[in-house]
Amino acid sequence: VPQAELAEQLAEQQQQQQQPKHQQQQLAQMQQPLRQQRALPEFPSGQEPWNAGQAKEVCKNCCNDGYKAVPCFDVEACAEHAPRGGKYAFVLAHMGMPKWPWLTFIDSMKAQAEQMRASSNSTVDILLFIPRKGSQGMNKEPTADVANRLECRHRALLQNYGVKIVEIPWSVPPKMKFVPVYWQANTWCGPQDLMRLPALGLEGYDAIAYYDTDVEFHGDVEPVFRCAASGVFLSTSGGVEEPMNVGFFALRPDPRYLEAAVWFAQHYNYSNDKGGWGDSGFLPAGSDFVGSQCGQGFVHTLFHKRQSPAARAAMAAGGLSEEGLHARQIDRCIWNYQTNHQCPEDLDCKAIQVHHKPTGKPNGRDCPKLAHRKDAKKAVVSAATLAAQEETCSLECVAVGAHCKCGAPDAHIKTVAVDGEVESCEASAFNAAGDGFKVTFDGVEVTVTRSDSRDCWCDDSLHVQCCIRKK
């Protein structure tokens, strides 16, 4: 990189680096539920995990260094150089009110977390990012209170699998420079992609790995966490030859990465004509690609384009040195499978550790999810874990449903019987239509009363979470 050009970028960064007080507060709030940063382990000279070398080729020409195709990084060799055990987190993200079924592959993630705990005495959390009520999004109305309006079955799912909600303050970095009109629906690709950026700054973890909710775990991903914990940013390319698929990345989190990402968003634009993010180009793609204007292009530029003055300036703004940045790509056919494109024709589907796509019944040579494999056993959460979740009573979602007897004097009240003795219930609930209800119970009955109106309701999605002792 021409030193004069880099010096100019850094000078501009120093002039613009001072953030308004409210932006500093937002970053502080984002880091609040997290803990003190952990020190990076020291490695003997010549045994640095990021110099582990290349893996045995499976995927053909599908890893890159930000500019050209390179051999895929050997994540397992990297892990061998890294300490065993630590504090890890799987990270998921969800925007908007969830439907049902939801988090359909959470069982495989939970099984992986248990396996890692048992094999290396690690602490493994599962975190779910949800935008905070009223947080900065892209649409004109404030973000809905998703965390507190989850249906009973959603809350029960999170509780049963030990998923922790982390409410994030924005879905798009504050004062982001590139904000196209088509992002205002708060959906793919900008907000839905960029709301996962807070994972970069999660404190208190040796390593985190973000995965899309349609990812299913078929094998052992502990090497990904161990390698990332050594200070290596890991990613893969995409299934239609995008330079990066933002449905997976892993790293040793650091608040400085988050600060760099926010600064990058605030200072650089995106253009299909002028070379992507911060004029950094689209290489190794010949031009714009799927998701280049979204998280895939943004994160690939920031972490993998180490010759980009814009990316270097952003990292410097976060207080990071180039010498400490180690970004590598691992084999997509093994660690983030997205159809058989660029994979060997004779690929053994059992070699896949993480399956991303296809989510449904596969076509041609594509390897399927476990539900479509006759020889596969689906991941099962241990009986000990399930038993620990059940104390004197078991949490259940009581199906209340609709009460469409409009015009009746008690149209706003409905009572249902349950199989067992009710010991407790949540005090209030909502259905998918947003109607609010007060919840009471007596013996084997649960009663709901509309708290926002004395009207009936015809939406049948209402469930109430209660703790019930079986007879």
Side-chain angles (χ1 to χ4, degrees):
V1 180
Q3 291 300 311
E5 186 176 0
L6 180 58
E8 183 179 345
Q9 291 281 345
L10 295 176
E12 178 188 358
Q13 164 256 306
Q14 292 172 351
Q15 293 174 0
Q16 299 176 337
Q17 189 173 358
Q18 294 299 320
Q19 295 177 324
K21 187 175 181 180
H22 75 278
Q23 290 181 23
Q24 296 174 1
Q25 291 172 340
Q26 282 180 317
L27 284 173
Q29 288 174 351
M30 180 172 296
Q31 296 158 8
Q32 210 167 38
L34 316 169
R35 278 117 353 229
Q36 187 176 3
Q37 180 186 350
R38 299 191 167 203
L40 184 68
E42 294 185 4
F43 304 102
S45 178
Q47 298 182 32
E48 299 88 351
W50 48 86
N51 292 326
Q54 68 187 63
K56 180 181 178 181
E57 182 182 82
V58 178
C59 192
K60 298 178 181 177
N61 298 317
C62 67
C63 292
N64 68 82
D65 62 1
Y67 299 93
K68 64 184 184 302
V70 296
C72 292
F73 184 63
D74 191 339
V75 66
E76 292 175 299
C78 170
E80 288 300 318
H81 290 287
R84 192 173 180 85
K87 185 162 187 180
Y88 305 138
F90 289 92
V91 180
L92 301 165
H94 181 84
M95 177 172 288
M97 296 302 299
K99 299 179 181 179
W100 194 262
W102 187 45
L103 304 182
T104 49
F105 301 107
I106 190 66
D107 54 346
S108 70
M109 179 175 283
K110 180 67 173 180
Q112 268 294 300
E114 287 191 350
Q115 178 179 316
M116 289 167 59
R117 290 189 191 108
S119 65
S120 60
N121 196 29
S122 302
T123 299
V124 187
D125 291 336
I126 300 178
L127 308 180
L128 175 65
F129 284 2
I130 291 179
R132 185 182 302 148
K133 176 186 177 182
S135 62
Q136 177 185 340
M138 291 307 306
N139 49 4
K140 295 179 180 179
E141 297 180 359
T143 304
D145 189 5
V146 176
N148 292 310
R149 286 203 160 193
L150 292 173
E151 293 180 26
C152 167
R153 50 191 173 178
H154 299 125
R155 294 194 303 275
L157 179 71
L158 298 181
Q159 185 162 358
N160 289 340
Y161 286 96
V163 180
K164 302 177 182 179
I165 290 178
V166 176
E167 294 186 82
I168 56 173
W170 44 256
S171 55
V172 170
K175 297 189 178 299
M176 186 168 184
K177 197 164 188 177
F178 177 69
V179 183
V181 175
Y182 57 86
W183 282 12
Q184 292 183 4
N186 241 352
T187 55
W188 195 88
C189 62
Q192 184 168 291
D193 280 3
L194 299 177
M195 69 172 290
R196 60 199 71 178
L197 290 179
L200 303 176
L202 285 169
E203 294 183 56
Y205 291 100
D206 295 298
I208 67 94
Y210 172 86
Y211 288 98
D212 276 352
T213 57
D214 57 349
V215 163
E216 183 178 59
F217 297 89
H218 291 190
D220 182 13
V221 295
E222 185 178 346
V224 169
F225 283 89
R226 290 179 61 189
C227 180
S230 71
V232 183
F233 178 87
L234 299 171
S235 73
T236 74
S237 61
V240 290
E241 300 188 36
E242 317 96 288
M244 178 179 169
N245 172 249
V246 80
F248 156 73
F249 59 83
L251 78 161
R252 186 181 188 90
D254 188 319
R256 295 176 296 178
Y257 285 133
L258 178 58
E259 293 174 17
V262 172
W263 193 93
F264 186 71
Q266 292 173 341
H267 289 79
Y268 294 104
N269 216 327
Y270 171 86
S271 171
N272 276 338
D273 301 323
K274 295 184 179 180
W277 291 96
D279 295 337
S280 302
F282 299 106
L283 292 175
S287 62
D288 61 301
F289 50 86
V290 174
S292 62
Q293 76 280 32
C294 311
Q296 301 196 149
F298 184 98
V299 178
H300 183 258
T301 300
L302 184 63
F303 280 92
H304 288 285
K305 289 189 175 296
R306 302 310 333 134
Q307 298 175 30
S308 161
R312 291 166 70 97
M315 289 299 186
L320 294 153
S321 67
E322 282 298 312
E323 292 75 17
L325 294 174
H326 310 286
R328 305 286 188 269
Q329 288 203 327
I330 57 179
D331 200 308
R332 183 181 78 228
C333 296
I334 304 299
W335 301 103
N336 187 20
Y337 181 83
Q338 302 157 68
T339 76
N340 234 54
H341 181 62
Q342 291 185 299
C343 299
E345 291 187 8
D346 59 350
L347 175 67
D348 184 355
C349 294
K350 294 179 182 179
I352 297 170
Q353 303 300 299
V354 181
H355 188 290
H356 195 164
K357 300 180 187 303
T359 54
K361 192 174 182 180
N363 296 315
R365 297 186 296 108
D366 291 346
C367 291
K369 299 283 192 191
L370 294 179
H372 298 284
R373 273 176 51 183
K374 296 180 180 179
D375 61 339
K377 291 184 179 180
K378 203 171 183 183
V380 177
V381 178
S382 71
T385 297
L386 295 176
Q389 294 167 354
E390 296 183 4
E391 301 177 348
T392 58
C393 58
S394 59
L395 286 174
E396 296 185 18
C397 283
V398 177
V400 177
H403 194 51
C404 213
K405 298 181 179 180
C406 305
D410 61 349
H412 62 298
I413 302 172
K414 183 177 181 179
T415 298
V416 296
V418 300
D419 180 19
E421 188 80 14
V422 182
E423 293 199 355
S424 64
C425 286
E426 58 186 331
S428 61
F430 296 89
N431 61 14
D435 304 324
F437 300 86
K438 176 185 176 182
V439 182
T440 58
F441 60 92
D442 183 13
V444 298
E445 293 184 335
V446 176
T447 299
V448 297
T449 304
R450 279 198 66 169
S451 55
D452 58 349
S453 170
R454 293 182 64 85
D455 290 336
C456 62
W457 66 96
C458 297
D459 185 295
D460 65 356
S461 65
L462 180 60
H463 289 71
V464 175
Q465 190 174 45
C466 297
C467 203
I468 300 173
R469 185 197 299 270
K470 295 298 183 182
K471 294 179 179 180

